[in-house]
Amino acid sequence: MANTEYRNWKQDDVTFIENIPFVLTYTEHAYMVIPFAADNNDAVFGNVAAPAVVNPERIIYLYNIEKQKDADELIKTIPRVVEYMNKKHIRAAIEFILVYQDKGFDFSKDKIEEKMKQAGGSRIRQIKCMAMNDTVPENLEEYLKKRSSGKRFFAVENRKTGFFDNLNGASFYKSFNNYRFDSRNMEFSHMVGCDMLGYIKKNPYITVADIMALSLSSCERSNQPEFYDEYKELWKRYCDNTVLWKGLCDDLGKYAEANDTLATFDRKQKEKSEDQTYTYIMPFACKNNVDKIIKVLKDNRLLDNKSRVTAHTTDSCRVKIVDRYGYRKEYDKLFSKIYALMMPDQTVTVPVIKNNIEVKFENLEVKGFKIPDKMVETDAKKQNLQNIMTFLNDKGYVINLDLNIRDRKMSFTYATRAIKDLLTTSGRLLEIYTYHKAKECGRFDDLEYSLVVNWEDKGVKSEFDCILTKGFRSLFVECKARGEIQQEFYYRIARLTEKFGINATVVLIADTNEKPYYDSVKVNDMQRKRGDMLNVVTISDRNDIANIGLTLLRVINGKYTDQKK
């Protein structure tokens, strides 16, 4: 019973006494003056970082416009700031003070105010413009002093943003209560007349959704982080024979790539002088998948708009193909795969890969897979393959296993698409292990796995293996289970993190299974140094990977040291 549980009631008094300074100083009617930045994600986040802690009534942003590009960047950044404020329920109304260069480009106050209000909506209550001249610091100071009159809390953030950083030399900040805010460590410092800020005991944090909101990007999981009950057992099997696991996954992946493709269309093929029309009768269950395929081919102009699927009989449909490029053989091949096209929508995909459009089917059946010689060249390797496949069969991951090591052939069926993905991508288990160990650690504020991000207005998609947050920091993690690290791994994740990250650290988890006599060691050492130049943390020590949750915690807290340096 709850009434029999022991509770230290004195602790409530202690907590109240500790918070008396906050109770006596905090006001909901706080005004914050913040120099506005329209640059990278870290700078843009700085516009809302301190308000996320204080939750003020009003924010007065200061922004300097010297050229048209500055005005354009401001208009692009305002929706990002407003979206984040809405996401985090920051209630503040917004004002802007624009200091503009009245020489060198055509500055139209009415035009920019209209665009700003369209970008910010009802958040923006007032916009004041001041022409750049020798008296700007004095005029700005005089205006803000009037605005501060009668306000219980009115403080200026001393922030390094170009022109407004130079106001230090004009003693501007000394005229007001002011502070500095370190968003990475969520710390107020150099507080002058701002004691209230030091008494706020709030631990806000960013989520992965917040990060995407600041970039005005949407995201979705491409894979679910499954295998929670089995990931430790799977990882043990992986560690027992990493080379075999990686090699098997790579070869099964190649088999799937070759056998899952129903048709391929080259977008660079020369268009025929006359369209060709073909008609196919198919079960009605194929309609959704065929509709999806035709839409993609129409969007890429391989098919004429007259191509369509219509009802034919009670249980069939008629497919009309108006072909502009002479792909009769490919369409015959595609529409002969009736059972594949009858499957649920998600089993058939139509990716556009460079110049090719491929129609792919998530086939779970493996028939006559040729076992590579390297896997069975010794009795020990034969036994290892037998053990791993028997394990997968006993677990129910593969069904109807027919393993013929003498003839070097194997057939089976994957139990689910998630299991197929696990066993056809050599690095997938490393990703799953990383996610579950980080989750199990329980010290991160948010954690997302296999995240596909849609870039704002560009139709571009990027995938992240894992993104973690703690406080106002984030980790962008790439997992690679290969013998050699490639420099492209570093460039890709560093480039994407620069686009999306907030106070971000980039991490490459490279399970290279290195040993001193491997030829790849020197190459990997060189690549790690290249990663250092790009500020990417490389984790490749086996003990660090085995305890990856705590290792990533050390990284995000700035306490990790690479054991291989």
Side-chain angles (χ1 to χ4, degrees), residues 204-480:
Y205 60 88
I206 53 173
T207 65
V208 175
D210 296 335
I211 293 173
M212 298 309 154
L214 196 67
S215 302
L216 296 180
S217 301
S218 61
C219 58
E220 59 186 356
R221 280 180 174 171
S222 63
N223 289 292
Q224 294 298 315
E226 300 190 17
F227 307 103
Y228 176 75
D229 292 331
E230 310 105 318
Y231 83 92
K232 291 180 181 178
E233 185 178 8
L234 285 168
W235 183 254
K236 182 181 183 304
R237 292 282 176 170
Y238 172 88
C239 292
D240 286 345
N241 201 326
T242 307
V243 174
L244 173 61
W245 185 284
K246 291 179 183 178
L248 182 62
C249 288
D250 286 340
D251 289 316
L252 287 173
K254 292 174 185 176
Y255 175 90
E257 185 67 26
N259 289 273
D260 288 5
T261 303
L262 301 181
T264 301
F265 302 92
D266 183 357
R267 291 196 294 169
K268 283 194 170 183
Q269 180 79 7
K270 187 176 180 181
E271 187 173 350
K272 299 293 183 181
S273 57
E274 292 185 8
D275 293 346
Q276 301 176 37
T277 302
Y278 327 125
T279 301
Y280 303 91
I281 305 298
M282 306 194 72
F284 199 81
C286 298
K287 184 177 185 303
N288 288 343
N289 280 319
V290 175
D291 271 335
K292 179 166 60 176
I293 294 166
I294 288 177
K295 181 181 184 306
V296 175
L297 295 176
K298 280 183 179 179
D299 290 345
N300 286 273
R301 299 184 55 77
L302 269 75
L303 290 180
D304 185 83
N305 284 330
K306 295 177 183 176
S307 302
R308 59 177 50 86
V309 185
T310 56
H312 178 58
T313 65
T314 55
D315 64 349
S316 68
C317 58
R318 182 190 300 272
V319 182
K320 180 181 180 181
I321 296 295
V322 184
D323 180 14
R324 303 174 62 190
Y325 288 85
Y327 273 119
R328 177 64 185 260
K329 289 184 178 179
E330 282 300 311
Y331 289 111
D332 284 350
K333 175 184 172 184
L334 171 62
F335 294 120
S336 69
K337 308 293 185 180
I338 291 176
Y339 290 108
L341 297 174
M342 289 176 68
M343 293 292 109
D345 295 358
Q346 63 269 26
T347 60
V348 175
T349 57
V350 196
V352 179
I353 304 172
K354 293 185 179 179
N355 295 318
N356 288 336
I357 297 174
E358 295 183 344
V359 181
K360 302 184 79 67
F361 166 56
E362 194 71 77
N363 190 359
L364 298 181
E365 189 176 22
V366 176
K367 293 183 69 174
F369 169 75
K370 190 176 186 308
I371 302 170
D373 293 344
K374 61 185 178 182
M375 287 190 186
V376 289
E377 58 190 1
T378 67
D379 290 340
K381 288 187 175 183
K382 291 177 183 177
Q383 188 60 52
N384 288 336
L385 179 62
Q386 179 77 50
N387 291 343
I388 193 67
M389 293 310 301
T390 300
F391 164 75
L392 294 172
N393 188 65
D394 290 346
K395 291 288 291 184
Y397 290 169
V398 301
I399 303 168
N400 197 28
L401 174 65
D402 181 9
L403 177 60
N404 190 330
I405 292 180
R406 187 181 65 181
D407 293 339
R408 300 189 177 182
K409 286 187 177 181
M410 175 166 58
S411 298
F412 59 85
T413 301
Y414 297 106
T416 67
R417 281 181 292 151
I419 289 170
K420 178 183 178 181
D421 180 65
L422 174 73
L423 297 178
T424 54
T425 308
S426 60
R428 187 68 73 220
L429 183 55
L430 177 60
E431 295 172 21
I432 292 168
Y433 183 77
T434 297
Y435 172 84
H436 286 305
K437 289 296 283 187
K439 191 85 170 176
E440 188 180 79
C441 173
R443 302 287 292 279
F444 295 97
D445 293 318
D446 195 22
L447 176 59
E448 286 290 353
Y449 162 82
S450 196
L451 202 69
V452 175
V453 178
N454 301 297
W455 289 40
E456 174 201 4
D457 300 330
K458 292 189 178 178
V460 177
K461 293 185 177 183
S462 299
E463 185 168 356
F464 295 96
D465 291 343
C466 209
I467 304 177
L468 307 92
T469 72
K470 182 175 174 60
F472 283 168
R473 303 174 188 173
S474 58
L475 286 184
F476 283 69
V477 179
E478 182 88 351
C479 298
K480 293 296 178 185

Side-chain angles (χ1 to χ4, degrees), residues 123-142:
R123 282 275 184 179
I124 298 182
R125 304 295 174 81
Q126 184 173 316
I127 301 170
K128 182 174 179 60
C129 300
M130 292 184 179
M132 177 82 74
N133 55 49
D134 294 338
T135 62
V136 162
E138 291 81 1
N139 293 343
L140 181 60
E141 182 179 330
E142 181 182 355

Side-chain angles (χ1 to χ4, degrees), residues 513-522:
N513 196 37
E514 290 176 347
K515 292 183 179 179
Y517 51 84
Y518 273 23
D519 293 336
S520 61
V521 170
K522 290 183 179 179

Side-chain angles (χ1 to χ4, degrees), residues 133-193:
N133 55 49
D134 294 338
T135 62
V136 162
E138 291 81 1
N139 293 343
L140 181 60
E141 182 179 330
E142 181 182 355
Y143 175 76
L144 290 177
K145 281 184 176 178
K146 289 180 180 178
R147 294 304 313 278
S148 66
S149 178
K151 305 294 189 300
R152 182 176 172 185
F153 182 91
F154 189 98
V156 180
E157 184 169 315
N158 190 340
R159 188 181 181 206
K160 295 183 181 297
T161 57
F163 170 78
F164 294 103
D165 186 40
N166 295 332
L167 292 178
N168 261 327
S171 300
F172 170 78
Y173 290 103
K174 294 180 181 178
S175 302
F176 301 95
N177 296 335
N178 64 87
Y179 65 91
R180 290 180 184 171
F181 185 68
D182 176 0
S183 66
R184 175 173 283 273
N185 296 305
M186 292 193 297
E187 290 179 353
F188 289 98
S189 64
H190 299 82
M191 292 176 285
V192 178

